Amino acid sequence: AQSVTQLDSQVPVFEEAPVELRCNYSSSVSVYLFWYVQYPNQGLQLLLKYLSGSTLVESINGFEAEFNKSQTSFHLRKPSVHISDTAEYFCAVTYGGATNKLIFGTGTLLAVQP
Amino acid sequence: DAGITQSPRHKVTETGTPVTLRCHQTENHRYMYWYRQDPGHGLRLIHYSYGVKDTDKGEVSDGYSVSRSKTEDFLLTLESATSSQTSVYFCAIRNVGGNEQYFGPGTRLTVT
């Protein structure tokens, strides 16, 4: 069965430090990859996506993720985090097709401390 | 903002009662999805729709049914609520030709 693994359930980090949130998926066939962010008591917001082309994708608020097909990974990075980045981050994959069902990881809570 | 609303936003109900959650969209998207979010599980797909009256099951569909009689509304019904259905429920939409999904604000359901 297709799956997404986020090994770290929680990542504590100090403000202005770099961070990496890890995501691995189970298949090397053609995939579309996403990172969603969920702030407390809110819905999920699309942070960034990889559909095709350049393997490095960026968001408007300084996050980036790199698609690595050989390692079946899509890790999320930010060189310097802010308190406002505190949220839960979900990695998701779809293999396309008519229904395009999303498969989610279990989430990583990024806790930024002053 | 993908023009998605969910109602109610919060509900407390008793075991054995039927419950219906509503997802409403204003932008004529063809594809709609219902997920539940639980700690340690991420989001799991309950049911989805690929058009009016066209629906199919997801990975955790037992105990749930859906209906879509018009493009803008996708209803999720818990036939007889159980405590295991206490969760946060999210609706999502997808454009034809697109791969990303956009989510509504969620409904927090507590079954006592």
Side-chain angles (χ1 to χ4, degrees), chain A residues 25-83:
Chain A
Y25 60 96
S26 62
S27 173
S28 60
V29 300
S30 181
V31 296
Y32 305 105
L33 294 154
F34 308 90
W35 277 99
Y36 285 86
V37 58
Q38 185 178 34
Y39 298 102
N41 299 313
Q42 294 188 25
L44 278 76
Q45 301 175 28
L46 181 63
L47 183 62
L48 46 76
K49 61 186 178 184
Y50 170 77
L51 303 179
S52 64
S54 173
T55 58
L56 185 65
V57 291
E58 298 177 354
S59 72
I60 58 173
N61 57 353
F63 283 94
E64 65 179 28
E66 186 164 16
F67 170 57
N68 188 318
K69 186 174 182 179
S70 63
Q71 297 186 6
T72 60
S73 68
F74 191 54
H75 301 330
L76 182 69
R77 303 184 183 96
K78 189 172 186 180
S80 176
V81 296
H82 302 288
I83 294 287

Side-chain angles (χ1 to χ4, degrees), chain B residues 4-112:
Chain B
I4 309 169
T5 58
Q6 293 185 233
S7 59
R9 294 293 314 280
H10 302 272
K11 186 170 182 67
V12 179
T13 192
E14 294 184 347
T15 298
T17 60
V19 177
T20 295
L21 309 183
R22 179 185 185 227
C23 177
H24 179 77
Q25 54 130 336
T26 59
E27 299 182 3
N28 209 36
H29 299 291
R30 177 180 176 185
Y31 298 96
M32 299 183 75
Y33 305 80
W34 275 109
Y35 294 87
R36 61 178 288 173
Q37 182 181 23
D38 304 289
H41 291 277
L43 278 79
R44 293 177 291 174
L45 182 65
I46 305 172
H47 281 280
Y48 60 96
S49 170
Y50 45 97
V52 173
K53 297 187 179 179
D54 291 324
T55 64
D56 206 348
K57 297 179 179 180
E59 63 175 310
V60 290
S61 60
D62 287 349
Y64 302 94
S65 62
V66 289
S67 65
R68 194 169 177 199
S69 59
K70 46 187 178 178
T71 300
E72 58 265 37
D73 288 325
F74 191 31
L75 304 180
L76 176 71
T77 297
L78 288 65
E79 314 277 345
S80 176
T82 68
S83 58
S84 65
Q85 293 176 312
T86 292
S87 188
V88 181
Y89 292 85
F90 287 99
C91 174
I93 58 88
R94 179 172 69 89
N95 290 327
V96 172
N99 293 287
E100 58 269 35
Q101 295 180 22
Y102 296 92
F103 287 80
T107 294
R108 184 174 296 275
L109 176 68
T110 302
V111 183
T112 61

